[in-house]
Amino acid sequence: MQNRNFNNLIIKWATQSISIMIIINTIAWSSVSEAFPIYAQQGYENPREATGRIVCANCHLAKKPVDIEVPQSVLPNTVFEAVVKIPYDMQIKQVLANGKKGSLNVGAVLILPEGFELAPSDRIPPEMKEKIGNLFFQPYSNDKKNILVIGPVPGKKYSEMVFPILSPDPATNKEAHFLKYPIYVGGNRGRGQIYPDGSKSNNTVYNSSLTGKVSKIFRKEKGGYEITIDDISDGHKVVDIVPAGPELIISEGEFVKVDQPLTNNPNVGGFGQGDAEVVLQDPLRIQGLLLFLDQLF
């Protein structure tokens, strides 16, 4: 009887423990899914198109600068830094999803050559870990470990990000060679203007859907506007919806043309892309060069 009660207690404890682990895991993964740029990962097998354009530009329409710094050359099976810089004016505020103003976040995608990948934690030197801070990088997909994504993260803290990269070793990876390789980067600051389904966010300009007279502007309780426009050709009315965020630049009684802006463009962010080159250096060539110089001098 005692053994049966003891077994029941064990089963109950195990069931509760598993339930707690499932809840914790669900919360953790929900947080991760909301914290990273999953739109591109879900919609595109490869974030870099055949033209060289990085797909983040489909949603972040304004062009802004981005910079990347890597060593001129690296040895096989070594960890090196790829420093991505996403500059912007730290004083500016962006329109948030609720229409209020807030700080800008930043994000980046780093496209490495095949064989290069995120360095394992136990290979990253302490001084590099200090530069990385609390950033969490993830591969673009299971079969594209050479493409890394990060963000959105606070721009004021991470407008400069250090990616820890592990170079391949041609001695163990037959696909790797001692060559010069290109590295591509895309970086954005601020929210996008277009969602993956093609709809607009509230961080962009809104235009008139027809030519006519603005007969009524109704300000909604939770922000945003309903703008009634009378068609000058037949008199029928159309209501254009403007979400909370953009500011109106038209008034009642004003005549507008089709596609004429009804609001300002609140976007203060944008996307940029750049590239760099790194040489995977053969250590035997370096040794040979050192021997030659030693004999020469």
Side-chain angles (χ1 to χ4, degrees), residues 84-188:
V84 175
K85 299 179 181 180
I86 308 173
Y88 72 95
D89 183 355
M90 300 289 180
Q91 303 303 315
I92 60 176
K93 301 287 185 180
Q94 70 170 347
V95 170
L96 304 178
N98 60 7
K100 297 180 180 180
K101 295 292 184 72
S103 299
L104 277 70
N105 291 329
V106 296
V109 54
L110 187 66
I111 304 174
L112 301 165
E114 292 283 348
F116 290 73
E117 60 183 40
L118 183 69
S121 180
D122 59 357
R123 293 286 306 273
I124 303 174
E127 60 272 15
M128 191 182 297
K129 285 185 177 181
E130 189 174 342
K131 295 178 183 178
I132 295 169
N134 294 323
L135 291 176
F136 179 81
F137 306 97
Q138 68 172 4
Y140 189 78
S141 63
N142 290 333
D143 62 341
K144 285 186 169 52
K145 294 184 178 181
N146 63 309
I147 302 178
L148 307 176
V149 294
I150 179 71
V153 294
K156 287 187 176 181
K157 188 174 182 180
Y158 294 112
S159 64
E160 180 173 316
M161 296 180 278
V162 174
F163 287 71
I165 308 302
L166 177 65
S167 63
D169 187 353
T172 57
N173 182 353
K174 300 306 179 183
E175 300 297 322
H177 305 281
F178 295 113
L179 298 171
K180 180 186 289 186
Y181 291 98
I183 296 177
Y184 305 101
V185 66
N188 72 278

Side-chain angles (χ1 to χ4, degrees), residues 19-31:
S19 299
I20 292 172
M21 290 174 66
I22 291 173
I23 292 172
I24 292 173
N25 190 57
T26 301
I27 293 173
W29 278 106
S30 296
S31 174

Side-chain angles (χ1 to χ4, degrees), residues 164-240:
I165 308 302
L166 177 65
S167 63
D169 187 353
T172 57
N173 182 353
K174 300 306 179 183
E175 300 297 322
H177 305 281
F178 295 113
L179 298 171
K180 180 186 289 186
Y181 291 98
I183 296 177
Y184 305 101
V185 66
N188 72 278
R189 71 285 283 151
R191 298 174 57 233
Q193 289 67 63
I194 305 292
Y195 291 121
D197 63 3
S199 62
K200 287 184 173 183
S201 76
N202 66 334
N203 189 35
T204 189
V205 62
Y206 278 74
N207 302 319
S208 172
S209 60
L210 53 74
T211 297
K213 181 181 179 180
V214 178
S215 59
K216 183 179 179 181
I217 297 177
F218 174 71
R219 183 181 179 88
K220 295 189 285 187
E221 183 179 349
K222 294 185 178 181
Y225 301 90
E226 293 179 357
I227 303 172
T228 303
I229 303 174
D230 299 342
D231 192 329
I232 60 173
S233 62
D234 58 15
H236 82 277
K237 299 179 183 293
V238 172
V239 178
D240 285 348

